[in-house]
Amino acid sequence: MDAKQSKIAVVTGAGSGIGRAVTVELLNAGWSVALAGRRSGTLEETAALAPVGASLAVRTDVSQPDDVAALFAATVDRFGRVDLLFNNAGTFGPGGVPVEELPYDAWRHVVDTNLNGAFLCAQAAYRQMKEQDPQGGRIINNGSISAHTPRPQSVAYTATKHALTGLTKSLSLDGRPYGIAVGQIDIGNAATDMTARMQTGALQANGEVVVEPVMDVADIARTVRHMAGLPLEANVQFATVMATAMPYVGRG
């Protein structure tokens, strides 16, 4: 499909895990995709997994306003518009650190990436979607099961994911006059490098360490593609996709 005729997506954190899977799914479905991430090499590896699609790799640190501005400028210069932002870049931060021992620098890194980065990308997408013709587009924020229920020793990650839900709701409300639909996908135990510890044992609320089930990351990618493919008159406001038997319902 010609890039000028396809829908245009920006995917952050596209070099690995969920971002990689979603990027490949969108490219295979005929989307053109701008891939954003901190490492150019992994972005190119992602793009090569779907060689039939139109892609653009842009090295981006989402916590840096200038990087985000450059990402969206490059996307519009190449493809002409932005129809979708998948706000996916994120970090768990140091695991297994009690709150009283968490260094402030570690807290700031998680907040800068998960919350400030999501805001900066959403703001840039919102500006573009408001001004382009035809007007409008869609933003999908990657939340987490932790946007609802925390794990032990996850204060920075959990706080940012709760905040992301507020960001989603506010953006959804403010985007209505401009045809900007905003939703959130809350994911539990997709099999990625970030969740590898689940398969060796994760700390539970009762102090036990338990191996947890995971699900194929491709199941997340298909869900995001479905959300992205809806007409702007319809929106999945919140979706929860999780490994069926993971300890979420009844956690704690």
Side-chain angles (χ1 to χ4, degrees), residues 1-175:
M1 182 179 294
D2 186 276
K4 296 299 183 182
Q5 297 177 337
S6 67
K7 293 289 189 179
I8 312 305
V10 174
V11 177
T12 67
S16 62
I18 292 168
R20 170 171 284 183
V22 168
T23 297
V24 172
E25 182 75 17
L26 291 174
L27 286 169
N28 285 333
W31 288 69
S32 298
V33 183
L35 295 71
R38 289 176 297 168
R39 294 172 292 172
S40 298
T42 58
L43 296 178
E44 297 291 353
E45 290 171 5
T46 297
L49 294 174
V52 296
S55 62
L56 172 68
V58 184
R59 197 215 65 80
T60 308
D61 181 343
V62 297
S63 71
Q64 300 301 312
D66 289 346
D67 276 20
V68 173
L71 165 64
F72 281 84
T75 302
V76 174
D77 182 64
R78 170 73 180 273
F79 298 118
R81 60 183 288 115
V82 176
D83 296 296
L84 170 69
L85 165 66
F86 181 45
N87 235 341
N88 168 71
T91 181
F92 191 82
V97 179
V99 61
E100 69 274 16
E101 297 176 12
L102 184 69
Y104 179 67
D105 286 348
W107 165 273
R108 275 296 305 269
H109 176 65
V110 175
V111 173
D112 283 343
T113 303
N114 295 5
L115 180 57
N116 294 342
F119 163 73
L120 289 171
C121 290
Q123 183 183 55
Y126 189 102
R127 287 170 173 164
Q128 174 60 32
M129 291 171 180
K130 181 180 176 181
E131 298 301 324
Q132 64 194 8
D133 184 21
Q135 189 181 61
R138 188 180 306 275
I139 299 170
I140 301 173
N141 293 324
N142 184 352
S144 171
I145 294 296
S146 293
H148 305 271
T149 306
R151 289 185 176 276
Q153 299 177 344
S154 67
V155 64
Y157 184 79
T158 297
T160 58
K161 293 303 184 179
H162 274 66
L164 201 62
T165 300
L167 180 70
T168 296
K169 291 179 178 180
S170 287
L171 289 170
S172 183
L173 180 61
D174 293 346

Side-chain angles (χ1 to χ4, degrees), residues 215-246:
M215 62 178 167
D216 193 327
V217 71
D219 296 324
I220 301 302
R222 285 192 293 271
T223 304
V224 172
R225 177 171 58 81
H226 168 71
M227 295 169 71
L230 291 172
L232 292 178
E233 293 77 18
N235 186 39
V236 176
Q237 187 69 74
F238 292 99
T240 302
V241 185
M242 52 180 270
T244 303
M246 72 169 288

